[in-house]
Amino acid sequence: MGPPWQADWTKEAEDARTALPAEACALVDAARAELVTAKDPYFRGIDSGRDLSAGMSVEPVQSTRPGGAHVIYFDHGRGWLRYHFVPRITDPQIVIDECFWR
């Protein structure tokens, strides 16, 4: 299995996204697009994040859990999506559980 990955939003994250202004929604959609098309949604490896669009970066929520929740920052850190990747064989999926932009 490989990209594009399926992505799902928790109710709270979807509500936060729909409450954003249109220009912020476009930034969120661009960050989501980076996630679903990434070869490795956790962007592991030395050069794996270099293909991200300008103003985006990814890091694990806890450095001691590299396979756990991650955050993709967008708009030069003004916003982020917290997500985790479920690498099931039949239905791998990205679950976005937090959406924030200021």
Side-chain angles (χ1 to χ4, degrees):
M1 300 292 305
W5 309 106
Q6 293 186 35
D8 195 15
W9 298 76
T10 63
K11 175 84 170 114
E12 296 82 15
E14 181 65 24
D15 290 346
R17 183 198 173 279
T18 58
L20 295 174
E23 64 273 4
C25 282
L27 295 168
V28 169
D29 291 345
R32 181 192 169 279
E34 292 285 348
L35 290 177
V36 299
T37 59
K39 184 174 182 173
D40 177 4
Y42 284 151
F43 295 89
R44 291 174 280 221
I46 295 170
D47 293 330
S48 62
R50 69 185 162 112
D51 295 330
L52 285 170
S53 298
M56 290 187 190
S57 63
V58 174
E59 67 182 36
V61 172
Q62 293 178 327
S63 62
T64 57
R65 296 190 62 202
H70 275 59
V71 176
I72 182 166
Y73 296 98
F74 58 91
D75 196 17
H76 302 280
R78 292 184 64 204
W80 63 80
L81 299 176
R82 187 178 64 200
Y83 68 96
H84 64 275
F85 180 62
V86 183
R88 299 181 293 237
I89 292 173
T90 57
D91 188 25
Q93 178 178 19
I94 295 169
V95 178
I96 300 168
D97 60 19
E98 183 178 21
C99 176
F100 179 83
W101 183 78
R102 55 182 155 174

